[in-house]
Amino acid sequence: MNLSCSSWQDNSLSVKYFMFAKFSEVREQCFLLFTLILLMFLSSLTGNALIALAIWTNSVLHTPMYFFLANLSLLEIGYTCSVIPKMLQSLVSEARGISREGCATQMFFFTLFAISECCLLAAMAFDRYMAICSPLHYATRMSRGVCAQLAVVSWGVGCMVGLGQTNYIFSLNFCGPCEIDHFFCDLPPILALACGDTSHNEAAVFVVAILCISSPFLLIIASYGRILAAVLIMPSPEGRRKALSTCSSHLLVVTLFYGSGSVTYLRPKASHSPGIDKLLALFYTVVTSMLNPIIYSLRNKEVKAALQRTLGKKKVLTHG
């Protein structure tokens, strides 16, 4: 049902209902985009679910590196599911609206999964640093307990930041217009609809972006700086090749995720363009989550073998 802003305002004239902007006025373009995004979404869900399932069901992959990879796959599933279904609905129907509470819920989960992924990627870099630079102490320093704690901290930081940012932004009044110039309830486009001075909120978003995007990224850079130094002094070419091979997939995922996220949230406000922001958001919400399972399965023989065993078991159960 298509409702106007005025029908969802209380006595304080605060908007209670938002509308997502149309992608295009041409139905054929919307249907084409719907089909493309749906295929990427299904590919992302299938790939990440298979990666997580293969790791949990194959004991040979019960190591810190693959434990973190399974967590990454679960984060990617949550990440895309918090945004894409509503976007697909908006593409093919007039039901482009979302309540204030629904918008806050979407923002919370999107922020939770995004920040958790930033922290988890840093934990994965630290794991590679310990494996390559301190192999003799790796088993004790990266025990199951330590890995579980790093994962819990990653998810916990995401949850706290999500709750804090969402509560801070939705404590504001929104006087209209109620149309969000985006395809989901991201922080900057929602802030643009708020009444009065939002400079403190914008500063808070920027500070959180610095702390939760830049800080983990600097930890990743520091870890790989030490890894590169250790690899360069390895006497065996085979050892250098193996060490770099175990890091290449993670580095590529970090580049895709942080590249699009940093351009979106850390560039000056004056340089923001709704069209560019939507394109970047589409990239880091759909494309990167679809590519991650492909990157890890193509670059890692153990993951490929585990996927083959998992798919083989499913075929046997199906035919049985």
Side-chain angles (χ1 to χ4, degrees):
M1 185 169 62
N2 199 8
L3 298 171
S4 65
C5 297
S6 58
S7 61
W8 282 83
Q9 292 179 333
D10 59 17
N11 293 331
S12 66
L13 298 180
S14 182
V15 172
K16 296 297 182 182
Y17 194 79
F18 298 101
M19 302 288 290
F20 293 114
K22 286 186 177 181
F23 281 82
S24 172
E25 295 293 339
V26 182
R27 290 188 62 85
E28 290 76 12
Q29 291 180 355
C30 288
F31 182 75
L32 180 62
L33 192 58
F34 171 86
T35 304
L36 180 62
I37 293 174
L38 177 62
L39 289 175
M40 290 192 291
F41 177 57
L42 294 176
S43 176
S44 173
L45 288 184
T46 303
N48 283 294
L50 283 174
I51 290 282
L53 182 63
I55 291 171
W56 294 125
T57 57
N58 288 271
S59 58
V60 71
L61 298 184
H62 290 177
T63 64
M65 181 172 72
Y66 296 114
F67 169 78
F68 289 128
L69 179 56
N71 273 270
L72 179 65
S73 294
L74 294 177
L75 282 172
E76 293 286 6
I77 290 172
Y79 195 60
T80 54
C81 286
S82 66
V83 173
I84 304 304
K86 184 64 179 177
M87 180 179 65
L88 290 172
Q89 180 190 25
S90 299
L91 277 167
V92 293
S93 74
E94 291 299 318
R96 295 182 290 111
I98 186 169
S99 67
R100 182 183 176 118
E101 293 75 16
C103 192
T105 301
Q106 188 184 63
M107 180 182 289
F108 164 71
F109 281 108
F110 172 77
T111 307
L112 184 161
F113 293 123
I115 299 300
S116 298
E117 185 162 339
C118 288
C119 297
L120 190 70
L121 288 172
M124 294 173 78
F126 177 72
D127 171 65
R128 292 299 82 210
Y129 159 73
M130 292 299 301
I132 294 170
C133 299
S134 187
L136 297 179
H137 303 286
Y138 179 71
T140 54
R141 293 182 180 175
M142 294 302 294
S143 63
R144 286 188 177 183
V146 171
C147 293
Q149 288 173 12
L150 289 172
V152 168
V153 167
S154 298
W155 286 81
V157 170
C159 186
M160 288 189 294
V161 172
L163 282 172
Q165 288 285 63
T166 303
N167 182 65
Y168 193 32
I169 289 175
F170 280 89
S171 63
L172 299 169
N173 283 326
F174 299 91
C175 304
C178 69
E179 184 171 276
I180 305 169
D181 197 6
H182 209 33
F183 59 79
F184 70 98
C185 293
D186 200 4
L187 283 71
I190 293 296
L191 269 177
L193 303 180
C195 309
D197 182 20
T198 60
S199 57
H200 293 295
N201 302 83
E202 291 169 5
V205 171
F206 187 76
V207 169
V208 168
I210 290 290
L211 292 176
C212 299
I213 296 178
S214 297
S215 297
F217 184 68
L218 290 175
L219 290 174
I220 294 170
I221 294 297
S223 297
Y224 277 106
R226 296 291 298 274
I227 289 170
L228 182 60
V231 168
L232 290 175
I233 62 174
M234 286 182 178
S236 167
E238 179 64 22
R240 289 196 296 269
R241 186 198 64 78
K242 186 175 180 181
L244 291 173
S245 177
T246 61
C247 299
S248 58
S249 298
H250 181 251
L251 272 174
L252 186 53
V253 169
V254 166
T255 302
L256 291 172
F257 182 79
Y258 274 96
S260 56
S262 298
V263 171
T264 301
Y265 295 104
L266 296 180
R267 75 184 195 273
K269 182 181 177 181
S271 65
H272 278 256
S273 163
I276 297 298
D277 287 348
K278 289 175 189 176
L279 186 62
L280 286 168
L282 193 62
F283 186 83
Y284 65 72
T285 54
V286 187
V287 179
T288 57
S289 62
M290 178 190 70
L291 291 178
N292 286 356
I294 298 172
I295 292 168
Y296 276 104
S297 60
L298 287 179
R299 303 281 302 176
N300 193 302
K301 293 180 181 178
E302 290 179 325
V303 172
K304 282 194 287 188
L307 283 171
Q308 290 171 354
R309 287 193 293 270
T310 301
L311 291 173
K313 290 177 185 177
K314 293 180 76 173
K315 287 180 180 178
V316 169
L317 289 173
T318 302
H319 290 300

